[in-house]
Amino acid sequence: MSSQENCEILLPIPTLQPLDNDAAAISDDFQRYLTYHLGRFKGCTPAYIYQALSHTVRDRLMPHWQSTWLNHLQPQKRRAYYLSLEFLIGRALGNNLLNLAIENPTQEALKRFSADLEQVEEREPDAGLGNGGLGRLAACFMDSCATLALPVIGYGIRYEYGMFRQRIENDEQVEEPDHWLREGNPWEIERAEYHQRIQFGGYSEFYKDAHGEERVRWVGTQDVLAIPFDVPIAGYKNNTVNTLRLWKASATDEFNLQEFNQGSYTEAVQAKNEAEHISMVLYPNDSSENGKELRLRQQYFLASASLKDAIRLWKKGGGGDFKTFAADNVFQMNDTHPTIAVAELMRLLIDEYHLNWDEAWNITTQCMAYTNHTLLPEALERWPVYLFRRLLPRLLDIIYEINARFLRLVSRRWPGDTDRLRRMSIIEEGPVQQVRMAWLAIVGSFSINGVAALHSQLLVDGLFHDFYELWPHKFNNKTNGVTPRRWVAFANPALTQLVSSKIGDSWIANLQELEKLVPYATKKHTAFHKAWREVKHANKQRLATLVKQDCNVDFNPDSLFDIQVKRIHEYKRQLLNILHVIHLYIRLKNGKTDNWVNRCVLIGGKAAPGYVMAKRIIKLINRVADIVNNDEEIGERLKVAFIPNYRVSSMEIIAPAADLSEQISTAGKEASGTGNMKFMMNGALTIGTYDGANIEIMDAVGAENFFLFGLKADEVQALRHDYRPWDIAAQDADLKAVLDLIRSGHFNDCAPGEFEPILNSVLSANDPWMTLADFRSYVDAQDKVATAWQDQEHWTRMSILNTAHSGFFSTDRTMLEYNRDIWKLKAGAEI
Ligand code: 26W
């Protein structure tokens, strides 16, 4: 691309006027897209209906997108940038219809073409650009920022292949590529004119500039272009449309020109592929670092492109003197993944804009903020120094300098404390030197937060303690949330209608208003209670249909729906859940059916492709399901299903249908959890450990409306030294029976010993997740669940109270806290 192409020609583009939103206007536009744009002249496939409708809806976002952009770009308008390797946004069509308030006329318009809106929505592939909690959180944040009219731009990567599709074959997970862009993506707009050039490799060259100043430039690099694709993020009924800008990697034209000149034209063109690999695939690991070079390339690609773009926008809005840069811009780093941004901003300010070190460092440390999402040591990112030296040599120079200056500060504060210096050094010494990305994030940021109260506390008590002693003022908590638009108003229209019939509909944008439901919860035997149950029942029927379709298992909506959906990980303890299922099965086989409560247990989630134990757990769940579901003696009393390919759009059906939400991680391991909040909002009760945001959920709803069990985080720690799972198993007949049954091969499918590794892990004194330690109290809590379920009036009361007290867990509240404490942006048209 030549620089000329980069010049904007200022056409007098008018201010767009909102389009008509009645059924006639929508149907006219739809028809025009189908024919004039897509060239369908007679019949057409559902894929085209989806395309035409999406364009029709997107047009209706445009006037608001234009006005929001112009507003955001005003001079001296402070902006925040959310830097994230993941945005798990799911489907857009239904959500945009909701936020634009045009669901009804759209439905009507489609009827004229004998098309059904729900079926059309089903055509849309999920934008699966994330692994799990961290990625979905970023998407909920974007929704809330738009709804609050906060000037926040999301920056991410436009992966060609999102999160893999999971199939279950012979009870095991099989991964398939997710080519979600195959049929085109109507929700993105390419803005090639705003491309950025990203450097890799090469070396640092020292030179004297025209004024005789010593400077450094990064030369001899192999460059890649970053092309932005913009995705509109509509606020809820507020005429605001924010932007999610996703970068695609593209080869530069001069790529491998040398080879070309030597006559290897086709080889040179082929080599372009390599550059384009950067945005090819999302890494499907959600807890352990795999240290792949391509991943570091992705991280730098995102950080560099986004910072350069933010500087460009700032200049376009009148910025010029870097003294005001930190007053005008703030960058929120979603975990350590984009943390190389700290060094990249230093590089840009020093090498490109010729600021001196101190000026650059002042700016950088006033505009970077870091959110931590995990305490698991294996998830802490470290990159080998040799990789940095090869890929990002100039960035390594800068990291070394940041570290040298930082360590001087530490040694002034704690003279002679070499152990502390070793602990706090950004460079970890050892056989292979490593860059500790979390340390770089902390040193470079003015704000560091965890994602739930307990998590933030554990960070400053443990992992980040040394840094907390140095800079206590930097540390804060921001408890996560979820957007009530997608997770209640869109996913659960029947509940939305019922709630609104009692308290009006302003709760959708002000979730604390759900408290007004409390009086309706406490009065029993009302029509409202009955209607509440009917809504849940209908939602359960819908889920039962999906389970039948995807798992071929019969779920009866009259049973208790007991659900655990999330990534498969040992710390999340899907195993504890399945041990309980086996325990129930044994009870039934022993004829202990007094006061029995029929249960449908649903488990879903993806395992990282290289995580052998997680995959084995999936297999065990499927084997148990097979045996239990096909046992005639068991019948409807117990059903078990593993739902394949759990993703955002499946949660939209699952959350509204849950009676019981399983949040059973080992205490101290789940940073927050956000599925717990989606279930609560939709009226599920939680069975949970004292972990992450569960604690705050219980505080909000009251312990009498929550099934708490298990060791607390400090008790887990204390027990570690003397953990004897063998003794626990020997002393608990129920647990022993469960383990014996697994060991006996009862659930194996002609593969003797295949679950031995699972038994060994839970029976190991070193089991980090201490599954057996919580077995008894889990089973007891589950018995309390069953007893509670038998009093349906009381259960309904508890269910309503869960929804009523879920207001705190809206990302609107989370975003207002980020804004109050960290970003300090002005909403809407204010400057
Ligand atoms: C480097 C590989 C890697 C990739 C992703 C390590 C770790 C991650 C994420 C931090 C995993 C994640 O999604 N964490 C979850 O973040 C949610 C949002 O804050 C929390 O609610 C969950 O408790 C946390 O597990």
Side-chain angles (χ1 to χ4, degrees), residues 133-134 137 285-287 289 335 337 373 451 480 571 670-673:
L134 159 144
L137 185 75
N285 301 323
D286 73 326
S287 56
E289 226 339 276
D335 216 286
H337 316 157
H373 295 266
V451 290
N480 283 166
Y571 86 79
E670 188 70 271
S672 161

Side-chain angles (χ1 to χ4, degrees), residues 166 171-173 175 285-288 378 567-576 578-579 603 605-622 642 742 753-764 766-771:
Q166 178 195 56
D171 302 313
E172 288 172 8
Q173 165 173 306
E175 300 94 25
N285 301 323
D286 73 326
S287 56
S288 67
E378 64 269 32
R567 289 299 290 259
I568 310 293
H569 200 293
E570 287 161 282
Y571 86 79
K572 295 179 188 281
R573 298 200 298 195
Q574 283 89 359
L575 257 182
L576 184 58
I578 208 69
L579 294 183
I603 303 177
K606 292 173 184 175
Y611 191 170
V612 176
M613 186 58 93
K615 289 181 146 178
R616 209 176 266 129
I617 292 170
I618 291 178
K619 179 148 197 194
L620 177 62
I621 296 167
N622 279 307
F642 184 89
I742 299 174
E754 93 178 308
F755 299 128
E756 273 316 297
I758 290 183
L759 292 169
N760 292 341
S761 81
V762 293
L763 284 166
S764 158
N766 299 319
D767 173 20
W769 325 116
M770 298 191 152
T771 303

Side-chain angles (χ1 to χ4, degrees), residues 448-514:
I448 298 133
N449 73 281
V451 290
L454 172 72
H455 171 232
S456 298
Q457 190 59 47
L458 293 173
L459 282 178
V460 298
D461 288 347
L463 191 59
F464 295 167
H465 189 70
D466 287 328
F467 294 91
Y468 178 64
E469 286 191 321
L470 183 60
W471 293 313
H473 54 278
K474 285 195 185 187
F475 291 83
N476 64 94
N477 172 246
K478 294 287 167 281
T479 298
N480 283 166
V482 302
T483 169
R485 267 75 61 185
R486 180 175 295 261
W487 297 112
V488 187
F490 172 69
N492 201 343
L495 191 78
T496 300
Q497 218 180 12
L498 178 61
V499 169
S500 299
S501 73
K502 291 293 176 198
I503 65 170
D505 64 4
S506 49
W507 58 273
I508 298 172
N510 186 6
L511 208 65
Q512 294 286 3
E513 287 186 19
L514 286 176

Side-chain angles (χ1 to χ4, degrees), residues 409-424:
L409 179 88
V410 175
S411 60
R412 275 200 299 276
R413 170 79 194 267
W414 289 282
D417 193 344
T418 49
D419 198 48
R420 190 183 287 265
L421 282 176
R422 184 187 49 72
R423 290 198 308 267
M424 295 181 82

Side-chain angles (χ1 to χ4, degrees), residues 89-326:
I89 46 190
R91 291 176 177 155
L93 175 57
N95 202 248
N96 284 328
L97 289 173
L98 173 82
N99 286 8
L100 284 169
I102 56 170
E103 286 166 306
N104 292 334
T106 303
Q107 217 150 19
E108 206 186 309
L110 279 182
K111 275 200 198 118
R112 302 179 185 187
F113 301 87
S114 311
D116 169 66
L117 180 57
E118 214 170 305
Q119 277 173 13
V120 178
E121 287 177 9
E122 283 286 309
R123 290 295 310 175
E124 181 174 359
D126 278 38
L129 310 183
N131 272 283
L134 159 144
R136 182 56 230 177
L137 185 75
C140 285
F141 279 7
M142 293 302 292
D143 178 279
S144 282
C145 288
T147 295
L148 295 164
L150 290 173
V152 176
I153 297 175
Y155 279 119
I157 295 181
R158 179 182 176 277
Y159 300 106
E160 209 78 33
Y161 292 86
M163 189 61 198
F164 65 81
R165 262 202 314 273
Q166 178 195 56
R167 264 193 318 110
I168 300 298
E169 205 176 281
N170 299 326
D171 302 313
E172 288 172 8
Q173 165 173 306
V174 178
E175 300 94 25
E176 283 176 349
D178 161 49
H179 197 189
W180 69 294
L181 292 166
R182 183 164 23 227
E183 292 182 347
N185 177 10
W187 302 109
E188 65 181 16
I189 292 189
E190 179 172 357
R191 302 224 182 266
E193 67 276 29
Y194 301 134
H195 69 267
Q196 296 290 350
R197 179 178 275 267
I198 312 301
Q199 297 176 279
F200 289 100
Y203 54 93
S204 303
E205 186 177 83
F206 295 79
Y207 71 103
K208 276 208 167 84
D209 71 8
H211 311 287
E213 297 274 349
E214 288 275 1
R215 306 223 172 268
V216 185
R217 59 187 161 211
W218 184 9
V219 295
T221 53
Q222 283 179 325
D223 300 352
V224 175
L225 293 183
I227 315 281
F229 285 69
D230 286 355
V231 180
I233 307 287
Y236 180 68
K237 298 186 184 174
N238 70 346
N239 300 343
T240 299
V241 176
N242 277 355
T243 300
L244 171 60
R245 182 158 277 185
L246 302 175
W247 299 102
K248 172 194 161 91
S250 172
T252 56
D253 280 344
E254 74 273 13
F255 200 81
N256 279 348
L257 203 64
Q258 241 172 348
E259 275 172 60
F260 181 22
N261 289 338
Q262 283 157 14
S264 345
Y265 170 71
T266 46
E267 287 78 357
V269 173
Q270 216 172 11
K272 273 167 154 304
N273 264 331
E274 213 169 294
E276 297 179 357
H277 273 161
I278 291 180
S279 58
M280 197 58 73
V281 60
L282 165 79
Y283 275 95
N285 301 323
D286 73 326
S287 56
S288 67
E289 226 339 276
N290 64 3
K292 289 278 181 346
E293 174 179 332
L294 183 59
R295 169 78 175 181
L296 182 58
R297 280 183 189 268
Q298 290 182 337
Q299 296 186 347
Y300 180 67
F301 175 77
L302 169 70
S304 180
S306 309
L307 286 172
K308 289 176 175 177
D309 194 56
I311 293 172
R312 181 186 66 78
L313 287 173
W314 175 70
K315 293 197 156 196
K316 199 167 160 177
D321 183 347
F322 276 96
K323 284 200 182 76
T324 70
F325 187 79

